[in-house]
Amino acid sequence: MAATGDAEETQLQEMEEEAGMENEMDSDEEEGLGIENSDDEIDDSSEDEKENEAEIQRLEEQLSINAFDYNCHVDLIKLLRQEGELPRLRKARQKMSELFPLTEEIWLDWLKDEIHLTEEEANREKVYELFETAVKDYICPEIWLEYAQYSIGGMGLPGGMEKVRSIFERALTAVGLHMTKGATVWEAYREFENAILATVQPPPGSVPTREQQELLNAQLERIHTLFRRQLSIPLMDMDGTYAEYEEWSDQGVSDTVSQKYKGALKQMEKSKPYEETLMIAEPPKLAEYQTYIDYEQKESDPARIQIIFERALSENCLVPDMWAKYTKYLDRQLKIKDLVLSSHDRAVRNCPWTMGLWKNYLLALERHGADHHTISDVFEKALNAGFIQATDYVNIWEAYLDYLRRRVDFSKESSRELEELRAAFTRSLDYMKQDVEERFSESGDPSCTIMQVWAKIEALHCKNMQKARELWDSIMTKGNAKFANMWLEYYNLERSYGDALHCRKALHRAVQCTSDYPEHVCEVLLTFERVEGSLEDWDAAVQKTETRLNRVNEQRSKVTAKEAHVARQEEEKTEQRRRAKADKKNQKKGQKGSRPGDKRKAEDKDYEDEWGEESEQPPKRHRGESDQGFRGGGGGAEEFMGTESGLFGRRAPPGRRQEPPGAKRGQQVAPATVWKTQEDDPELRKDDCSVFISNLAFTMDDPEKRLKKLFEPCGPVQSVRPVYAAKGFRGYCYVQFEGKASVLEALKMDRQEVEGRPMFVSPCVDKNKNPDFKVFKYNTNLEKHKIFISGLPFSCTKEQLEELCKDNGTVKDIRLVTNRSGKPKGLAYVEFGDEAQASQAVLKLDGTVLQEHTLSVAISNPPRRNTADKPGFSRPVGAMMPRSMVYGSRGKGRTQLSLLPRSLHRQTGSESKAENGTAPKPTGGESGDAGNEAQAKPLSNSDFAKMLFKK
C-alpha cells in the first residue's frame, strides 16, 4: 500500500511538472504579445509608448462618459496588454466584465495572464474564481479545457483530485453534448483517468493486494463508464471512439453499449446535415442556427435544445430575438431557477438596449421568488440601460409597477408596500416628465396609461374615488379631452366605482370636448339618461347633443367643401399637364411624319408600341382591394374586367394576327398553322358563361392546360383562352364554361394563390355595352359595422387578429389586405355584428401594441374617389383609345388604306380629331352657338366635294 502511495505521489508530481512546463510555454508565448518587454524595446519605442499612453487616457475619459461603449473597452484592453500595464489591465478587464459578457478570446488572454501572475503570488483561488466567472458568460469548450488543465496542476493540494473530477463533470454537463467540440472534453477526461490508472496499477510481475485490486477495479470502472457515456451521445467521429473502446476493453463491447451507440449514431446522422451547413456557412450563421434550433425543438430533447441555443448565442450574442427565444424556452420548459436567471442576466448584459429582455428578467425574478432588493436593483439597471424609444421606458415602468402592486395586501387600509407603490407611481410620472421628455422630446405615454392604471387601483382596491378623479382630471389636461375613448374610460370607471352624478358630469363634458367620435359619445349620454335620468335630465341631454352635433356637421361641411375645392384644383392641374404632354407628343409626331421616307417607319414603331414587345404587362386592375393603402378604406374602385372585344388591349389590332407562343418575330407562318382561338369567331364566345382571369405569373408553363385543370372542379370547361404578346404569356386569360352555374363557382376562387400570387377572377362583361357595370365586392361607402386596422406586422394571421378582436363583439369576417404578389401590406378589415361593437373595438384597440407594432384602428370609411374612377366620368378620346384607332381615318387602323385625301388631314391633337365626318368638339375655351352648331351638324357629301375642289 505504501509502495502504491509512493507511485501515485510520483505520478502526481510528474503531472504537475508537465502542467508547469505548459504554463511556462504559455508565458513564453505571452512575452511575444507584450507581457514582458526588454529594455531595448522600451528604449526604441519610447515615442510609441507616449502615443499609446495618450490614447489610453483618451479611451479612459471616453469610458468615464459612456461606460457602455463596447468597442472602447476592447481597444483599451488591447493597448494596456500591449504596454504590459498589468494592474491597469486587470482593472479594465474587470470593469468590462461587469457590464458585458466577454468573448472567448478576451477570456483566454485574461486567464493566461492571471495564471502567469499567480505562479509568482502562489494564490490559485483568484484564478479559480476567474475561471468560474468565465464559464458563465458563454458555452465555450476551450475555456472548460483550460480550466480542467489548470486544475490538474493543483492535484497535490488537499482535495485536488476531487476538484479536477468535479470540473471535468461540470464541463461534460455544459459542453459534452457539443456535436463538434464535445468529444475533446470527453477525451481529456479519459486521458486524465488513464493517467490515474497508471498510478494504481501494480508493478509487472507483482501480485496486487486486496486494497490495490479494489482501487484498480474502481479506476477501470470509471474509464468504462466514461466510454459508455460518450458512446450514448451523438457526436461527430464517434465511430473512432467506438473503435478505441473495442481496442481498450479486454471484455469487448457489451450488447447494451452497442445498441446505445447505434441509436446515437443514427441521431448523429440526422443532425449531420445541419452541422455541415454550419461549417460552410459564413458568420454569423443566424438563419442556419435557427433552422437547427427548429429541428431540435421538434426532437424535444431539452439538453440538446439548450446546447444548440448556447452555440447560436456564442456567435450571435448581440441578437435580441435569439436571446428572447432562448429565455422564453427556459421559462416555459426547463424552469430551472439557476439556469433561467443566469440566462436572463446574460441576455440583458449582451443587449442592454432591448426593453423586452429587461421586462422578461423582472418577471423571471418574481416567478422564482427573488427578494425585493434584487428585483429593485435589476429595475434600476434597466432604467440606466439607454433604451432607444420613449415607449420602452413606459413599458419597463409598467412591468415594475405591476410587480409592486402584486406585493400589496389591499385588505389592510395602510401598509408599507402600498406606500411604496404610490411612491413608485409618483416617481414614474416625474421620471417620464423630466428624464424621458428631455431626451426624446415626448413622454412616450400620450394616453397616460400609467395614470389610468393608478386611478383604477385607487378606485378598485383602495376605494379612493377622490384620488382617482384627481388623476383623471390630470389625464384630461394633457391633451386627451378630445378623444372619445378617454372619456368613456373615465365614464366606465365612474359607472363601476363612482355615482350617477359624476357619470352625468363626465358625459356632459365628453359631449362638449370630444372631436373624433362625437356621435358615439352623444349616444352613450342619451342611453345613460334613458336608464338613470329624469325627464329634465333627458331634455337637457337631448338639447346638448343636438347643439353639439349641429356644430360638428357644420364644421365637417366646411372641411368637405375645402377638400373638394383642393381636389378640383389638383384635377385641373393634372388635366393641364396631361394635355400639355399630349400636345408635345403630337407635335413631335407631326415633325417626324413630315420627313420624306420616314412615315411608314414611324407608323410601324407606333404599331409595335401598342401591340408588340412593350405591351407585355397584363392589364392593371383599378384601385381594388389588394392595392389599398389608405386608412379607413373599406373598398375601392371597380375592378378591371370585360370581354376580349370589350376593352382595349385585349386583342391584337385589325390587320395583324397574334403569333403562337414561341414563334419568332417576323417569321412567316403557314396558313395551315396560323394560331387560332375563339377570338377569331365571336359567335362561339359566351360572356355569360366566361370569367376573366388576371394577375397570373408571366412564367407560367402551359397556362391553358394549367388553368383548365384548376377550374375543372367548378364545372365542365369548354375553352381556356390565354393572351400572349411577342415574348410570351401576358398573365391573363379567359375561361369559358359549358354552363352559367360554373361561373358562380369560379368566382369563389377569386384571390386564390397560384404560383405564389393571388389570382383575380372577375365576370366577363362587355364594358362597351355595360359601362356602369362593376362587380367590386367590397363596399366603397362608410361601413359603421366594420373597422379598418393599419400598422399590423406582416406575420399577423387571421387567427391572431380574431383573437385580438373577439373580446369586443361578434367577429363576422376578417380580410387581410395584400398586394398583387400576395404579400401582406399590414392592413386589415374586421366586420362585427353591429355598429356598437365596431365602435367599441375602435375605442379599445386603437393604439394597441401587437408584436411590437402599434395599431391604428378606425371605422371603415374610404376616402373620396377620384373623378376619373367614377362611372360617369368620360376621358378624352385620345386618353382612352390606342393611337392607331385615334389617328386612323374613319376609325380604321393605321395599317389599313385611307380613302380620305391627305389635304383633308388635320395636324392637330388627338383630342380634336373628327371621327366619321363629325366636326371637332369645341374646347372649354370656345363659346357661342357656333361651336355647338358645328358639333351637332355633320358634314354632307357635298360639303366634302366643296372642300376637295376648293383645293
Side-chain angles (χ1 to χ4, degrees):
M1 185 70 181
T4 303
D6 294 339
E8 183 174 352
E9 183 178 356
T10 303
Q11 183 66 26
L12 292 177
Q13 291 176 355
E14 292 177 357
M15 295 178 67
E16 289 179 4
E17 291 175 359
E18 291 178 0
M21 291 177 64
E22 291 182 1
N23 291 332
E24 291 178 2
M25 293 175 64
D26 293 339
S27 300
D28 293 338
E29 294 176 357
E30 290 162 358
E31 290 178 4
L33 295 175
I35 301 299
E36 295 180 357
N37 294 320
S38 63
D39 295 336
D40 295 337
E41 290 175 343
I42 294 176
D43 294 337
D44 295 339
S45 59
S46 58
E47 295 182 0
D48 294 338
E49 287 181 358
K50 292 180 181 179
E51 294 178 358
N52 290 341
E53 181 63 27
E55 179 66 15
I56 289 172
Q57 293 180 359
R58 186 190 68 81
L59 291 173
E60 290 177 341
E61 291 177 0
Q62 186 172 346
L63 287 175
S64 65
I65 299 173
N66 181 16
F68 289 92
D69 191 337
Y70 185 90
N71 293 329
C72 189
H73 281 285
V74 174
D75 294 339
L76 178 61
I77 290 173
K78 183 178 179 180
L79 275 176
L80 290 174
R81 191 164 191 265
Q82 181 180 346
E83 292 297 315
E85 297 281 349
L86 296 181
R88 296 170 67 184
L89 176 61
R90 177 184 292 172
K91 186 177 180 180
R93 284 166 168 167
Q94 289 175 347
K95 285 185 177 180
M96 184 177 182
S97 178
E98 292 173 359
L99 298 175
F100 304 100
L102 305 186
T103 62
E104 175 185 336
E105 293 77 14
I106 296 177
W107 270 121
L108 290 175
D109 290 341
W110 190 359
L111 291 167
K112 290 178 180 179
D113 293 345
E114 292 295 337
I115 290 172
H116 173 75
L117 293 176
T118 52
E119 286 182 355
E120 299 175 357
E121 299 174 4
N123 187 357
R124 302 179 64 87
E125 290 302 322
K126 290 184 178 180
V127 181
Y128 282 133
E129 293 176 1
L130 194 61
F131 269 114
E132 289 296 328
T133 305
V135 296
K136 292 178 181 178
D137 278 355
Y138 298 110
I139 297 297
C140 180
E142 288 78 4
I143 293 179
W144 278 108
L145 286 173
E146 190 73 23
Y147 192 7
Q149 183 67 32
Y150 180 74
S151 66
I152 292 175
M155 284 192 307
L157 300 175
M161 183 77 68
E162 290 74 12
K163 188 175 185 65
V164 174
R165 284 180 174 144
S166 174
I167 292 173
F168 267 119
E169 288 294 334
R170 291 173 57 197
L172 291 181
T173 302
V175 298
L177 294 177
H178 197 297
M179 183 75 74
T180 58
K181 297 181 180 181
T184 58
V185 181
W186 288 97
E187 292 171 0
Y189 196 2
R190 288 203 316 273
E191 289 178 4
F192 167 75
E193 294 295 350
N194 279 321
I196 301 300
L197 177 64
T199 65
V200 300
Q201 284 181 340
S206 63
V207 179
T209 63
R210 180 178 179 182
E211 291 80 4
Q212 289 177 335
Q213 189 63 43
E214 289 178 355
L215 288 175
L216 180 62
N217 293 337
Q219 189 63 26
L220 288 172
E221 183 60 28
R222 287 194 184 98
I223 300 176
H224 275 288
T225 301
L226 284 176
F227 270 116
R228 289 194 291 266
R229 288 169 61 188
Q230 182 178 356
L231 291 174
S232 64
I233 297 173
L235 299 172
M236 300 295 286
D237 301 326
M238 59 187 306
D239 50 350
T241 305
Y242 185 81
E244 182 181 350
Y245 185 36
E246 284 182 320
E247 182 180 354
W248 182 86
S249 177
D250 296 334
Q251 303 173 356
V253 181
S254 65
D255 294 339
T256 303
V257 175
S258 297
Q259 290 178 358
K260 291 183 178 180
Y261 163 73
K262 291 178 181 178
L265 185 62
K266 184 178 180 181
Q267 180 65 36
M268 187 271 293
E269 292 297 332
K270 291 182 180 179
S271 304
K272 191 173 181 180
Y274 298 97
E275 293 290 345
E276 292 175 346
T277 302
L278 288 175
M279 291 179 184
I280 63 176
E282 294 292 333
K285 311 175 185 178
L286 185 60
E288 291 78 8
Y289 273 118
Q290 186 58 58
T291 304
Y292 202 169
I293 290 171
D294 294 340
Y295 161 74
E296 291 294 355
Q297 287 182 327
K298 292 179 181 178
E299 295 292 319
S300 302
D301 186 341
R304 295 201 59 76
I305 295 173
Q306 180 190 354
I307 191 65
I308 191 59
F309 262 120
E310 292 287 355
R311 290 175 59 187
L313 289 169
S314 65
E315 297 190 48
N316 298 275
C317 59
L318 301 180
V319 180
D321 289 343
M322 185 64 72
W323 282 109
K325 292 177 182 178
Y326 182 38
T327 53
K328 181 179 179 181
Y329 171 76
L330 296 177
D331 287 333
R332 296 186 177 182
Q333 301 297 329
L334 295 187
K335 302 180 182 180
I336 302 173
K337 178 180 178 180
D338 294 338
L339 177 60
V340 170
L341 296 184
S342 64
S343 299
H344 278 287
D345 181 67
R346 290 190 294 141
V348 297
R349 289 173 63 206
N350 276 281
C351 305
W353 63 88
T354 308
M355 181 278 304
L357 297 179
W358 288 101
K359 182 177 179 180
N360 293 335
Y361 192 8
L362 292 175
L363 291 172
L365 288 169
E366 183 183 2
R367 194 178 294 119
H368 290 280
D371 59 88
H372 176 62
H373 179 72
T374 301
I375 298 178
S376 298
D377 287 346
V378 171
F379 170 70
E380 295 298 332
K381 290 180 181 178
L383 289 182
N384 297 322
F387 298 142
I388 59 178
Q389 294 180 358
T391 54
D392 290 341
Y393 288 95
V394 178
N395 293 330
I396 199 65
W397 268 110
E398 287 177 341
Y400 184 59
L401 293 170
D402 291 345
Y403 155 71
L404 294 178
R405 195 268 306 164
R406 289 189 285 267
R407 296 178 66 241
V408 179
D409 183 5
F410 290 102
S411 61
K412 301 177 182 179
E413 292 185 3
S414 178
S415 63
R416 183 173 60 86
E417 290 79 7
L418 178 58
E419 295 304 320
E420 186 176 357
L421 174 62
R422 285 172 171 163
F425 269 114
T426 303
R427 182 193 169 195
S428 68
L429 298 180
D430 294 339
Y431 187 89
M432 301 305 296
K433 183 178 181 180
Q434 298 174 5
D435 298 65
V436 176
E437 286 190 9
E438 180 179 352
R439 178 180 174 186
F440 297 97
S441 301
E442 60 169 327
S443 66
D445 189 16
S447 299
C448 300
T449 55
I450 294 178
M451 296 180 69
Q452 290 187 48
V453 173
W454 188 5
K456 192 167 292 186
I457 291 175
E458 293 287 352
L460 173 62
H461 297 294
C462 303
K463 313 301 179 186
N464 189 354
M465 276 303 299
Q466 182 61 33
K467 180 63 176 178
R469 293 183 183 116
E470 292 176 1
L471 290 170
W472 269 103
D473 285 340
S474 178
I475 291 173
M476 292 305 180
T477 58
K478 295 182 180 296
N480 292 301
K482 60 184 177 179
F483 299 117
N485 64 323
M486 302 299 290
W487 284 108
L488 293 180
E489 285 287 343
Y490 178 36
Y491 163 72
N492 290 330
L493 185 71
E494 288 285 358
R495 192 71 168 158
S496 300
Y497 312 107
D499 51 51
L501 177 62
H502 286 89
C503 286
R504 183 175 290 107
K505 287 182 178 180
L507 290 177
H508 276 271
R509 292 173 63 191
V511 170
Q512 187 67 28
C513 301
T514 300
S515 60
D516 54 351
Y517 295 101
E519 295 89 349
H520 187 69
V521 175
C522 291
E523 183 180 352
V524 174
L525 174 59
L526 295 176
T527 302
F528 171 78
E529 296 298 355
R530 285 192 181 96
V531 177
E532 299 282 347
S534 63
L535 179 59
E536 291 78 8
D537 296 330
W538 171 260
D539 291 339
V542 170
Q543 181 179 359
K544 192 174 189 67
T545 55
E546 288 180 351
T547 302
R548 175 59 176 163
L549 292 179
N550 289 336
R551 188 182 304 116
V552 169
N553 290 332
E554 291 176 1
Q555 294 174 352
R556 289 177 178 173
S557 298
K558 292 180 181 179
V559 172
T560 303
K562 184 177 180 180
E563 290 179 352
H565 177 68
V566 173
R568 283 194 299 270
Q569 289 181 337
E570 291 295 329
E571 291 172 2
E572 291 175 358
K573 292 179 181 179
T574 302
E575 182 65 17
Q576 291 176 359
R577 288 194 295 267
R578 190 196 61 76
R579 289 181 178 178
K581 185 177 180 180
D583 292 342
K584 185 176 180 180
K585 188 174 182 180
N586 293 332
Q587 184 178 3
K588 289 182 178 180
K589 286 190 176 181
Q591 295 174 356
K592 185 183 296 185
S594 62
R595 293 196 299 266
D598 289 346
K599 180 176 181 180
R600 177 55 55 192
K601 181 178 180 181
E603 290 177 348
D604 290 342
K605 187 177 187 305
D606 291 343
Y607 180 88
E608 281 289 329
D609 291 340
E610 284 298 326
W611 304 104
E613 296 180 359
E614 299 298 325
S615 302
E616 291 186 17
Q617 295 295 329
K620 295 182 179 178
R621 293 189 174 200
H622 298 297
R623 289 170 44 219
E625 172 209 7
S626 62
D627 291 322
Q628 289 177 0
F630 47 80
R631 176 184 175 93
E638 64 179 286
E639 299 181 11
F640 188 85
M641 70 204 73
T643 61
E644 294 148 286
S645 59
L647 284 176
F648 305 116
R650 294 300 179 90
R651 298 174 49 185
R656 177 171 178 176
R657 188 179 304 276
Q658 287 180 302
E659 297 177 356
K664 297 181 179 180
R665 287 185 56 190
Q667 179 179 344
Q668 296 296 330
V669 182
T673 61
V674 171
W675 186 45
K676 290 180 176 292
T677 67
Q678 290 185 359
E679 294 180 53
D680 301 324
D681 193 353
E683 295 181 358
L684 297 179
R685 295 199 307 265
K686 296 180 180 179
D687 293 344
D688 55 351
C689 296
S690 303
V691 291
F692 172 59
I693 315 299
S694 62
N695 202 42
L696 300 172
F698 291 178
T699 57
M700 179 181 289
D701 295 332
D702 198 354
E704 182 174 358
K705 181 179 179 181
R706 175 72 184 278
L707 293 173
K708 184 174 182 180
K709 182 178 181 181
L710 183 64
F711 283 94
E712 279 180 347
C714 302
V717 178
Q718 183 174 337
S719 65
V720 177
R721 303 190 294 277
V723 179
Y724 290 90
K727 288 187 178 180
F729 183 48
R730 292 188 63 185
Y732 61 100
C733 68
Y734 302 86
V735 178
Q736 182 170 325
F737 298 95
E738 294 182 1
K740 298 180 181 179
S742 302
V743 174
L744 299 178
E745 296 297 324
L747 292 175
K748 296 179 182 179
M749 300 176 65
D750 185 35
R751 283 165 179 77
Q752 176 176 321
E753 187 172 303
V754 177
E755 295 188 3
R757 297 173 61 88
M759 173 182 65
F760 297 159
V761 183
S762 306
C764 194
V765 178
D766 191 337
K767 298 302 292 294
N768 289 337
K769 298 178 181 178
N770 300 277
D772 296 332
F773 182 83
K774 63 177 182 178
V775 294
F776 188 67
K777 59 183 179 182
Y778 304 112
N779 199 341
T780 60
N781 300 319
L782 175 66
E783 299 173 284
K784 295 184 178 181
H785 65 290
K786 185 182 295 186
I787 63 174
F788 171 75
I789 305 177
S790 62
L792 289 168
F794 291 162
S795 60
C796 182
T797 62
K798 285 188 177 181
E799 291 75 14
Q800 292 175 333
L801 204 53
E802 182 177 6
E803 184 69 22
L804 180 67
C805 299
K806 68 179 183 181
D807 294 337
N808 300 291
T810 304
V811 178
K812 298 179 65 178
D813 183 43
I814 296 177
R815 177 162 58 92
L816 295 174
V817 180
T818 63
N819 56 22
R820 295 182 66 88
S821 63
K823 296 181 180 179
K825 299 182 70 175
L827 311 174
Y829 299 91
V830 181
E831 182 179 355
F832 287 90
D834 53 41
E835 298 177 9
Q837 295 177 359
S839 299
Q840 184 70 15
V842 171
L843 297 174
K844 294 291 185 181
L845 300 180
D846 189 34
T848 302
V849 177
L850 178 63
Q851 298 179 12
E852 300 183 359
H853 286 70
T854 303
L855 308 184
S856 297
V857 185
I859 296 296
S860 178
N861 186 16
R864 179 178 177 273
R865 292 174 56 188
N866 293 330
T867 307
D869 294 331
K870 295 183 179 180
F873 179 80
S874 67
R875 294 181 180 272
V877 177
M880 289 291 292
M881 301 179 65
R883 289 193 295 271
S884 60
M885 299 186 70
V886 174
Y887 294 115
S889 303
R890 310 173 86 178
K892 301 298 182 180
R894 280 183 173 270
T895 56
Q896 291 182 316
L897 182 62
S898 173
L899 299 179
L900 184 66
R902 294 183 179 177
S903 61
L904 300 183
H905 278 292
R906 298 176 183 268
Q907 296 297 332
T908 57
S910 60
E911 299 166 9
S912 61
K913 286 287 183 180
E915 291 285 310
N916 294 328
T918 304
K921 189 174 181 178
T923 61
E926 296 175 353
S927 60
D929 298 335
N932 296 332
E933 183 179 355
Q935 178 182 0
K937 183 178 179 181
L939 296 178
S940 63
N941 292 337
S942 59
D943 293 332
F944 273 108
K946 291 178 182 179
M947 294 172 63
L948 181 62
F949 289 111
K950 180 179 179 181
K951 197 72 175 179

